[in-house]
Amino acid sequence: MKLAIIIGVVVILFVVFILASYIKAPTDRALIVSGLRKNPKFVIGKSALRIPFLQRVDKLELKMISVDVKTKESVPTNEYINVNIDSAVKIKVGSSKEMLEKAASNFLNKNEDYIRNSVGDVLDGNVREIIGQMRLEDIVQDRKMFAEKVQENAAPDMARMGLEIVSFNVQNVTDEGNVIENLGIDRVVSISKSAQISRAESERDIEVAKANATKQANDARIEAETAIAERNNELEIKKQELKRAADVKKAEADAAYEIQQQEQRKTIEITTADANIAKQEKEIELREKEIAVKEKTLDADIRKQAEAEKYATQQKADAQLYQRQKEAEAKQFEIQKQAEAKKAQAEADRFAKEQEAEAVKAQGIAEAESIKAKGLADAESIKARGLAEAEAMEKKAEAMAKYGKAAMTEMIIKVLPQMAEAIAKPLESIDKVTIIDGGSGENGVGTFSGNVPSVLAKTIESIKETTGFDLTEVMKANTYDAKTTKNVNFTGLPEEMSAAAKEPETDGKTE
């Protein structure tokens, strides 16, 4: 455990040591490691290690620095003309080891402003020195030469500081007496004068050249026209000679052509006659060949047609025979299949009929049992109903005998509503009723509405005449008038009949 702790502490210390020792320099800055070694170590654009507490690290700027060199006071040239020059200079630390060591001894850990101020005085002095060695016109006209001289003159001083001049550019040159401006005016006038002289000389030369050119052109034109005329004459003579020779040649050619034409016509006529004879002979020979060909063709066509008809007849007969054989086989096969189908149908019909007979038999047995059971049930029902009706009739007869008129009254009272309904039934079919006053002084509506009670009263009167039973007397039996005047009273009536008998009295009271 202790060993692991020691190892961990050692590793941590080693990592801390590495981190503290590690340095890294960019490309525009040099890190200078010094301490243990005699000569310092320059680190540029790479990394390195340094021993903490024993070595130190210093910085040196390597980037390019711009310096504005401007003479503070006027400086006389070698012509004693005071001028002022403004220039821009680019400097940087030299890349050689010697230059780095010198720059480190002068500008270690210094910033750009310090370097710019240190170099400005040196460059200003060199510019003044070069101005005193040159003429004003040379400075103005050849600024590049002036810059090169300043660089050459300042290079040793810069090298002693470990620096080098990258570029030197003259921005502006001025003087106090406007000498440069006057030089410019003189130069302008001189140039203008030279330009005018040159222009006059050029115009003169142009005129002379034009005259010479005109003369030469005229001479050349005359010579050319003379030569052209001579050549035209020669050409005309040559044309006449050529025409004469051409006419001779043409005459000779025309005569030769006529002779040749006659010879050719004769040859053509002879050749045409020979050709006609040969043509007739060829036509005769061709006709003979055509006749032979036609004979052979007719012979071949008739023979081929006969053979084709024979072959077609034979093929047709074979086809018909084959068709009849196939039709017979198909018919035989169809008959066989029909017989097998009829046999199968007969078997199926027989089985179906057997099944149907079994079903009818079973259904008949079931229906017989059902009819038997139903008959027994109906017989029992009729028997029970008959016994019940007989018993009811017997009871009813006993009641009729017991109650007499009271029973009859009950029966009539029960059918009275049905009688009233039957009497009013015809009125249901009436759609519209028009009532006209008969002139008797009675209201027609009352006459119409009293029709139904009148018919009902006449019905009760008819019952009295046919049966001798007076329903009105029975209904009045329990009234006060019947008990006091006629002394009519019924006894032995049930409560329902008594209530029915009392209803007319109640209705009479209401009215």
Side-chain angles (χ1 to χ4, degrees):
M1 186 67 180
K2 292 182 179 180
L3 181 60
I5 294 172
I6 293 171
I7 293 172
V9 172
V10 170
V11 170
I12 292 171
L13 292 176
F14 180 75
V15 171
V16 171
F17 175 78
I18 294 298
L19 293 176
S21 302
Y22 182 79
I23 58 174
K24 184 177 181 181
T27 56
D28 61 348
R29 179 180 295 174
L31 298 180
I32 303 170
V33 182
S34 59
L36 295 177
R37 301 172 60 180
K38 182 178 180 181
N39 296 322
K41 179 181 180 182
F42 292 88
V43 181
I44 303 172
K46 58 183 180 179
S47 60
L49 295 176
R50 57 106 182 189
I51 301 174
F53 306 110
L54 298 178
Q55 289 180 324
R56 59 174 293 170
V57 179
D58 297 299
K59 295 182 291 183
L60 178 65
E61 295 295 335
L62 302 179
K63 63 180 64 176
M64 191 177 297
I65 301 172
S66 297
V67 181
D68 187 13
V69 179
K70 185 176 182 180
T71 55
K72 299 176 182 179
E73 296 177 357
S74 299
V75 181
T77 64
N78 61 355
E79 297 173 336
Y80 303 102
I81 298 173
N82 295 326
V83 296
N84 292 314
I85 294 179
D86 184 10
S87 58
V89 185
K90 299 288 186 180
I91 62 171
K92 66 183 291 292
V93 176
S95 58
S96 65
K97 185 177 180 181
E98 182 180 0
M99 296 285 280
L100 288 172
E101 291 177 352
K102 291 179 179 179
S105 62
N106 292 311
F107 307 112
L108 193 64
N109 297 324
K110 303 297 183 182
N111 56 19
E112 295 181 12
D113 293 335
Y114 179 82
I115 299 173
R116 188 178 294 109
N117 294 330
S118 299
V119 173
D121 296 336
V122 176
L123 293 174
D124 187 25
N126 285 276
V127 168
R128 288 174 176 273
E129 184 177 352
I130 299 302
I131 290 173
Q133 297 175 2
M134 295 182 66
R135 297 171 59 249
L136 178 60
E137 291 184 7
D138 295 335
I139 295 173
V140 174
Q141 293 178 0
D142 197 351
R143 297 186 180 187
K144 183 177 180 181
M145 182 181 67
F146 174 78
E148 289 176 354
K149 285 186 176 183
V150 172
Q151 285 182 270
E152 291 176 0
N153 194 63
D157 296 334
M158 301 295 291
R160 283 190 289 271
M161 293 186 291
L163 301 174
E164 60 183 16
I165 299 173
V166 178
S167 65
F168 188 98
N169 296 312
V170 177
Q171 301 292 330
N172 192 18
V173 179
T174 59
D175 67 290
E176 295 179 354
N178 297 326
V179 177
I180 297 175
E181 183 178 357
N182 293 330
L183 286 174
I185 294 171
D186 181 62
R187 179 64 63 183
V188 169
V189 173
S190 176
I191 292 172
S192 177
K193 180 181 178 181
S194 300
Q196 290 177 1
I197 295 171
S198 298
R199 181 178 180 181
E201 292 176 352
S202 298
E203 289 176 354
R204 182 197 62 196
D205 295 339
I206 291 171
E207 292 297 330
V208 172
K210 283 182 178 181
N212 292 330
T214 302
K215 180 178 179 300
Q216 293 175 1
N218 189 34
D219 295 341
R221 182 175 60 78
I222 294 171
E223 291 178 359
E225 289 178 354
T226 303
I228 290 171
E230 293 175 355
R231 297 297 294 173
N232 287 333
N233 291 331
E234 294 175 359
L235 177 62
E236 190 67 25
I237 295 169
K238 189 69 175 175
K239 283 181 178 180
Q240 294 297 328
E241 292 176 355
L242 292 174
K243 186 176 182 300
R244 184 171 61 253
D247 292 339
V248 173
K249 292 292 184 184
K250 183 179 180 183
E252 294 175 355
D254 290 340
Y257 176 75
E258 186 68 24
I259 296 169
Q260 185 68 26
Q261 191 175 12
Q262 294 294 332
E263 293 291 335
Q264 288 181 355
R265 186 180 297 111
K266 180 180 179 181
T267 304
I268 290 170
E269 290 176 355
I270 296 171
T271 305
T272 303
D274 293 339
N276 291 330
I277 295 169
K279 181 180 180 182
Q280 292 176 0
E281 292 176 353
K282 288 293 183 182
E283 287 179 352
I284 294 169
E285 184 180 356
L286 181 62
R287 287 175 183 174
E288 291 176 353
K289 289 182 179 180
E290 286 180 353
I291 292 169
V293 170
K294 285 183 179 179
E295 290 177 354
K296 292 181 180 179
T297 303
L298 291 173
D299 186 18
D301 291 340
I302 294 169
R303 187 183 297 109
K304 288 182 179 179
Q305 184 175 2
E307 291 177 356
E309 290 177 354
K310 178 182 178 181
Y311 180 76
T313 304
Q314 184 178 356
Q315 292 294 323
K316 186 176 181 180
D318 293 341
Q320 291 176 354
L321 177 61
Y322 179 77
Q323 183 178 3
R324 286 197 297 271
Q325 289 177 354
K326 290 298 181 181
E327 288 177 354
E329 291 177 0
K331 189 172 183 181
Q332 182 180 0
F333 179 76
E334 184 178 357
I335 293 170
Q336 184 178 356
K337 289 295 182 181
Q338 288 178 357
E340 292 177 357
K342 288 180 179 180
K343 182 179 178 181
Q345 184 67 31
E347 293 292 334
D349 293 341
R350 183 178 62 79
F351 180 75
K353 288 180 179 180
E354 289 177 357
Q355 295 295 325
E356 186 178 355
E358 292 293 332
V360 170
K361 180 180 179 182
Q363 185 177 2
I365 295 172
E367 288 179 355
E369 292 294 331
S370 175
I371 292 169
K372 180 180 179 182
K374 186 177 182 181
L376 292 175
D378 290 342
E380 291 294 330
S381 175
I382 292 169
K383 179 181 178 181
R385 189 166 58 249
L387 291 176
E389 289 177 356
E391 186 177 355
M393 292 295 291
E394 184 179 357
K395 295 292 184 181
K396 192 173 184 180
E398 290 178 358
M400 289 290 186
K402 182 177 179 181
Y403 296 112
K405 283 190 175 182
M408 190 177 294
T409 302
E410 181 184 3
M411 292 174 65
I412 292 172
I413 290 172
K414 287 183 177 180
V415 299
L416 280 176
Q418 299 177 4
M419 292 169 64
E421 182 179 359
I423 292 168
K425 188 71 175 177
L427 298 176
E428 292 181 356
S429 60
I430 298 172
D431 183 31
K432 183 178 180 183
V433 177
T434 303
I435 300 173
I436 300 173
D437 191 359
S440 60
E442 295 181 358
N443 189 358
V445 178
T447 304
F448 179 77
S449 62
N451 187 28
V452 174
S454 176
V455 174
L456 185 60
K458 289 180 180 180
T459 302
I460 295 173
E461 187 68 25
S462 298
I463 292 172
K464 177 181 177 182
E465 291 177 357
T466 54
T467 60
F469 179 76
D470 190 359
L471 182 60
T472 58
E473 292 296 333
V474 175
M475 295 177 67
K476 293 178 180 180
N478 287 328
T479 62
Y480 177 78
D481 183 59
K483 289 181 180 181
T484 56
T485 59
K486 298 181 180 181
N487 194 20
V488 179
N489 188 16
F490 289 91
T491 59
L493 291 175
E495 295 179 359
E496 296 176 357
M497 295 181 64
S498 298
K502 293 178 180 180
E503 287 180 358
E505 180 181 359
T506 306
D507 295 337
K509 293 178 181 180
T510 303
E511 293 175 358

